[in-house]
Amino acid sequence: MNNHIIIINTPQHGGDQYFMRFASQIREIPGYETIPIMILTRKFPMGLPTELSDIGVVHHHGAGFDPEALKAVHAGSARHIIVLAADEADPFSDSLTFDIAHRLTEINLGHRTIVECVNDQNRGRFKSLGVRIVLRPVRTYPEIMVRSVVAPGSEKVLEDMFNYEHDHPHRYDLQLDDLNWADIVSALVRHGIGTALAYIDEDDEVICHPPTNEEIEGKGLIVLVKSSETPEVSVVQEALERYRAFLKQWRAHSADQETGDY
């Protein structure tokens, strides 16, 4: 094993489905299509389920707190090391995770390590060890873990969307026309409202990240806004109207310049 991904521990429930989705998602990323994936756990004493071994995932029966097990999975030559919470609902799991993370940092692997932390108050302790990334367990979306592996920092954006405390995606029901997606995004940012993430078309379909120059016709917006000061829909409507007026004046001025009528 060399330049591989090591996953330590197994989710309490649906571990095989989690690993299947993780493997399928990570291997869709350019540069990761054939990356070896090694699971270090004691959850599969009889070996991995067939569906996992069939896609090239391999397994070592052992525990992450065992230095010999870390040697057996060639932790020193791993590209990424992921430490899952042993029980995503039990803060006591952080103690086991901390022990494993501490052992990894002792052998200078903290900068390659991603850990799950159940209790947010423990995040600082993991960071002080020098681990690369700390995030909450999200079992239904292994894709968040995938993003933390291939695009460090993006997991913070995704976590933030799941947490109402700071920012949250808010739906605004309003008519959309005469503006393209770039106009809408610019209007909301310039007026300090938030970041447009998607729009709802006339068939109630949510369209995420449409082409920037595509004219938008729909009946709603999904906007990432501050939870402490969520703007009313009237504020969003006003921002869009002002931007329409600005564009109208700008186009008229450009047309005058072209004709020399200024």
Side-chain angles (χ1 to χ4, degrees), residues 53 65 156 165 205 211 245 251 256:
S53 56
F65 55 78
K156 175 61 178 173
E165 183 179 357
E205 291 292 328
R251 287 164 183 160
D256 288 343

Side-chain angles (χ1 to χ4, degrees), residues 30-98:
Y32 286 81
E33 297 92 341
T34 59
I35 190 166
I37 299 172
M38 165 76 80
I39 301 171
L40 173 59
T41 180
R42 295 188 292 188
K43 283 283 187 177
F44 301 107
M46 305 303 293
L48 288 178
T50 304
E51 58 266 26
L52 284 172
S53 56
D54 283 349
I55 61 172
V57 177
V58 294
H59 161 245
H60 179 80
H61 185 73
F65 55 78
D66 179 2
E68 293 303 315
L70 293 176
K71 290 180 183 178
V73 297
H74 304 279
S77 59
R79 186 171 178 181
H80 303 286
I81 303 173
I82 297 168
V83 185
L84 300 178
D87 185 342
E88 60 271 20
D90 186 357
F92 185 73
S93 295
D94 288 349
S95 298
L96 173 60
T97 305
F98 187 87

Side-chain angles (χ1 to χ4, degrees), residues 21 30-31 84 92 108 144-145 194 205 209 224:
R21 289 180 61 183
L84 300 178
F92 185 73
N108 298 317
I144 294 180
M145 182 61 78
E205 291 292 328
H209 195 60
L224 186 65

Side-chain angles (χ1 to χ4, degrees), residues 39 59 65 78-79 83 92 117 132 134 148 161 213 215 219 224 239 241 244 258:
I39 301 171
H59 161 245
F65 55 78
R79 186 171 178 181
V83 185
F92 185 73
C117 177
R132 183 188 186 201
V134 183
S148 72
M161 291 186 184
N213 293 322
E215 185 171 327
K219 56 183 181 180
L224 186 65
E241 287 300 329
R244 285 191 187 93
E258 289 179 3

Side-chain angles (χ1 to χ4, degrees), residues 25-253:
Q25 288 289 319
I26 198 77
R27 286 177 174 161
E28 288 184 6
I29 308 298
Y32 286 81
E33 297 92 341
T34 59
I35 190 166
I37 299 172
M38 165 76 80
I39 301 171
L40 173 59
T41 180
R42 295 188 292 188
K43 283 283 187 177
F44 301 107
M46 305 303 293
L48 288 178
T50 304
E51 58 266 26
L52 284 172
S53 56
D54 283 349
I55 61 172
V57 177
V58 294
H59 161 245
H60 179 80
H61 185 73
F65 55 78
D66 179 2
E68 293 303 315
L70 293 176
K71 290 180 183 178
V73 297
H74 304 279
S77 59
R79 186 171 178 181
H80 303 286
I81 303 173
I82 297 168
V83 185
L84 300 178
D87 185 342
E88 60 271 20
D90 186 357
F92 185 73
S93 295
D94 288 349
S95 298
L96 173 60
T97 305
F98 187 87
D99 181 48
I100 297 170
H102 191 276
R103 293 179 186 276
L104 291 168
T105 56
E106 282 184 324
I107 53 178
N108 298 317
L109 296 176
H111 64 289
R112 304 182 198 175
T113 301
I114 301 166
V115 303
E116 289 187 333
C117 177
V118 178
N119 186 344
D120 280 346
Q121 293 180 348
N122 290 327
R123 286 188 175 226
R125 298 185 67 210
F126 288 111
K127 283 293 186 182
S128 68
L129 287 178
V131 299
R132 183 188 186 201
I133 291 172
V134 183
L135 71 162
R136 291 189 188 96
V138 183
R139 293 291 177 261
T140 51
Y141 289 97
E143 294 82 359
I144 294 180
M145 182 61 78
V146 170
R147 298 318 306 170
S148 72
V149 170
V150 301
S154 60
E155 80 288 341
K156 175 61 178 173
V157 177
L158 296 172
E159 271 194 320
D160 206 33
M161 291 186 184
F162 282 92
N163 181 10
Y164 190 86
E165 183 179 357
H166 300 293
D167 310 283
H168 69 278
H170 192 81
R171 173 168 175 153
Y172 291 99
D173 293 311
L174 72 172
Q175 203 63 35
L176 300 171
D177 54 34
D178 296 333
L179 291 173
N180 62 33
W181 187 244
D183 296 333
I184 293 172
V185 172
S186 181
L188 299 189
V189 170
R190 286 176 180 275
H191 285 81
I193 292 170
T195 305
L197 302 175
Y199 76 93
I200 297 94
D201 68 14
E202 297 294 347
D203 298 319
D204 282 325
E205 291 292 328
V206 178
I207 313 299
C208 298
H209 195 60
T212 55
N213 293 322
E214 176 181 292
E215 185 171 327
I216 303 301
E217 293 185 2
K219 56 183 181 180
L221 282 173
I222 305 295
V223 184
L224 186 65
V225 298
K226 292 292 183 185
S227 298
S228 59
E229 45 183 305
T230 303
E232 298 291 334
V233 65
S234 59
V235 176
V236 179
Q237 288 175 321
E238 182 182 0
L240 297 178
E241 287 300 329
R242 286 186 177 182
Y243 206 79
R244 285 191 187 93
F246 163 76
L247 288 175
K248 185 176 181 180
Q249 291 178 347
W250 179 79
R251 287 164 183 160
H253 178 68

